[in-house]
Amino acid sequence: MASAAEQLASNLNFSTFAKAEDLKKRLWFTLAALLVYRLGTHIPLPGLNPEAYAAAFKGQAGGILGLFNMFSGGAVQRMAIFALGIMPYISASIIVQLMTSVVPALENLKKEGEQGRKVINQYTRYGTVLLGTLQAYGIAVGLESGQGLVNDPGLFFRLSTVVTLLGGTMFLMWLGEQITSRGIGNGISLIIFSGIAAGLPSAVVGTLELGRTGALSTALILTVIIVAIAVIGLIVFVERAQRRLLIQYPKRQVGNRMFQGDTSHLPLKLNTSGVIPAIFASSLLLLPATAAGFTGTSTLPSWATTIVAALGHGQPLYMVLYGALIAFFAFFYTAIVFNPKDTADNLKKHGGFIPGIRPGERTAEYIDYVLTRITVIGAIYLVFVCILPEILVARTGVPLSLGGTSLLIVVSVTLDTVAQIQGHLIAQQYEGLIKKSKLRGGKRGR
């Protein structure tokens, strides 16, 4: 089966794509949906003073607001209706996933199949509404606390801000689900991808402008380009890397015929946690600087000011804690999303086993042992990919959009989308081969 799929994949060409009408419709729908999202990032929140907000944002661009602005495609910088972006939904999804490992009722729902997943998805939506409401209200209060940011502060401004920002998040959640079902790729990931990708051209232009004015040397710009290409190559290699465990199924007898046992593989990704550890680590470390920026460093005690300065973007303590948190979340999130015991039970239920390993508890221990070893490599890879560009950003002043987290998201989503496009093309070609074989069979019958 694998060789047949590889043969089909090798035969893919432009003519195959030209005949894939369903795929073209899905691509056009995806592009139209992302265009709607990009338009929404330019519609400003009502009641704001744009000039005063732009000046205030410049002072916070290096904190968590800069990170969220990168993920939202510049919507935070413009305080648009999509300023909250899709982050409340992602946070709610992670919280619900954590709770499924702690709450027995949710764990049982997870095991009920499609119906259970629908209920869990509904809980995720409720969590999105709750988190989005709290964050939108916090933004409204924070905007009112700024001098001259709001034209007419008061209850009506807070209510309109909550309704507008929460409505934007819920619309993006719905739009992401529509892209997933009617378009190509994971809708939520593509929305984040389009936001980051929209900022890459300006980041490249800004870097070249710094070189033109002499702020960055030509050798340094070339070094940044080479490092970026090398990091992209490393991301492509590792994100496609798998540790494949051989799975065997015993011989079975149907009537008087004996069928040979099948073999398959259990793929374990080298980086099971994806980009979540980098996002979590960045958010946690940038919280102190952002809070200090809102309250004002002049009101803080000297020890707090020292800590905030040490945790500043690009500082040695920030780098050390950033790497440690990435490694921690890599193991933590992998333990949440992959349960070796459930995998071993499913293999045992279907008669599968790993050669040389007893089914059941011993299989679960072996899978956990292998997963732990490859997660060590995955965590080292994540730390390296995220820390190295951060060092360049801190030392050279290259825009944040060229950081390791943004490159990791862009390359990972691109690989996933290309794989899905290729899957649609293979399915299209496979269906064509089946139709041809049926037509030949019909002619022979005549």
Side-chain angles (χ1 to χ4, degrees):
M1 182 65 69
S3 60
E6 292 172 359
Q7 183 66 29
L8 285 173
S10 63
N11 293 332
L12 296 178
N13 50 38
F14 183 77
S15 62
T16 306
F17 176 79
K19 296 176 183 178
E21 295 297 330
D22 180 66
L23 176 60
K24 287 190 285 186
K25 290 179 181 178
R26 288 177 173 271
L27 286 173
W28 281 116
F29 179 84
T30 302
L31 291 175
L34 294 179
L35 178 61
V36 171
Y37 162 64
R38 291 303 305 154
L39 290 175
T41 59
H42 289 80
I43 302 176
L45 192 72
L48 276 184
N49 184 337
E51 292 79 10
Y53 177 77
F57 179 81
K58 288 183 179 179
Q60 300 295 324
I64 196 171
L65 290 183
L67 181 68
F68 286 163
N69 185 61
M70 181 184 70
F71 291 146
S72 65
V76 175
Q77 183 178 0
R78 294 180 286 270
M79 193 46 67
I81 59 174
F82 290 161
L84 276 183
I86 206 67
M87 296 306 291
Y89 177 76
I90 295 176
S91 301
S93 301
I94 294 172
I95 291 172
V96 170
Q97 285 181 353
L98 295 175
M99 292 181 66
T100 53
S101 303
V102 179
V103 181
L106 291 177
E107 189 174 1
N108 293 332
L109 277 175
K110 187 178 179 181
K111 296 178 180 179
E112 289 181 5
E114 185 64 27
Q115 189 61 33
R117 281 194 292 271
K118 288 181 179 179
V119 177
I120 291 177
N121 288 338
Q122 195 63 28
Y123 289 156
T124 304
R125 294 187 182 98
Y126 294 150
T128 303
V129 173
L130 178 61
L131 290 177
T133 301
L134 294 175
Q135 292 180 18
Y137 184 79
I139 289 175
V141 173
L143 290 173
E144 285 186 340
S145 63
Q147 188 173 4
L149 297 182
V150 180
N151 295 327
D152 188 16
L155 181 61
F156 180 77
F157 172 77
R158 296 184 185 183
L159 181 62
S160 63
T161 300
V162 170
V163 171
T164 303
L165 294 180
L166 179 61
T169 295
M170 299 308 294
F171 175 79
L172 288 181
M173 183 183 69
W174 174 83
L175 190 66
E177 292 175 352
Q178 295 302 308
I179 294 174
T180 303
S181 60
R182 301 173 58 186
I184 289 291
N186 184 287
I188 303 299
S189 299
L190 282 173
I191 287 175
I192 299 176
F193 164 84
S194 63
I196 296 175
L200 289 178
S202 61
V204 173
V205 171
T207 303
L208 295 178
E209 181 65 21
L210 290 175
R212 188 186 67 83
T213 58
L216 294 179
S217 64
T218 303
L220 188 56
I221 293 177
L222 291 176
T223 302
V224 170
I225 294 174
I226 293 172
V227 170
I229 294 174
V231 169
I232 290 173
L234 178 63
I235 293 172
V236 172
F237 177 77
V238 175
E239 292 299 322
R240 294 172 64 92
Q242 295 178 346
R243 172 71 161 87
R244 304 174 70 186
L245 300 181
L246 179 64
I247 305 296
Q248 287 188 348
Y249 294 90
K251 298 180 180 180
R252 55 192 178 91
Q253 184 173 358
V254 179
N256 295 325
R257 298 185 62 184
M258 178 68 72
F259 290 88
Q260 184 68 28
D262 296 330
T263 61
S264 64
H265 292 88
L266 174 65
L268 301 177
K269 287 191 64 176
L270 201 61
N271 179 29
T272 307
S273 58
V275 74
I276 296 297
I279 296 175
F280 268 30
S282 300
S283 301
L284 285 178
L285 285 178
L286 292 175
L287 276 175
T290 304
F294 277 123
T295 58
T297 54
S298 59
T299 61
L300 295 176
S302 58
W303 61 268
T305 305
T306 304
I307 293 177
V308 170
L311 291 178
H313 201 70
Q315 297 299 319
L317 181 60
Y318 172 87
M319 295 295 185
V320 172
L321 292 179
Y322 187 38
L325 286 174
I326 288 175
F328 168 76
F329 283 121
F331 282 93
F332 183 75
Y333 193 72
T334 299
I336 294 299
V337 299
F338 191 94
N339 191 331
K341 188 176 185 305
D342 290 344
T343 304
D345 291 341
N346 289 331
L347 287 175
K348 186 177 181 180
K349 186 187 302 181
H350 293 89
F353 64 93
I354 299 175
I357 306 296
R358 185 179 302 172
E361 188 66 28
R362 294 295 299 274
T363 298
E365 293 176 357
Y366 178 74
I367 294 175
D368 182 65
Y369 169 73
V370 174
L371 186 64
T372 302
R373 293 177 64 188
I374 64 175
T375 303
V376 171
I377 302 176
I380 294 173
Y381 146 76
L382 282 176
V383 171
F384 177 79
V385 165
C386 294
I387 289 293
L388 181 61
E390 288 290 337
I391 294 175
L392 287 177
V393 169
R395 296 292 180 266
T396 63
V398 175
L400 181 65
S401 299
L402 296 177
T405 305
S406 57
L407 287 178
L408 184 61
I409 294 175
V410 169
V411 176
S412 300
V413 175
T414 301
L415 289 175
D416 180 62
T417 306
V418 170
Q420 292 203 29
I421 292 174
Q422 189 177 35
H424 278 278
L425 291 175
I426 292 175
Q428 175 82 13
Q429 194 172 22
Y430 187 69
E431 289 175 2
L433 292 175
I434 292 177
K435 289 180 181 179
K436 288 181 181 179
S437 63
K438 286 183 178 180
L439 289 174
R440 290 173 183 172
K443 291 180 179 180
R444 290 174 182 173
R446 293 177 185 175

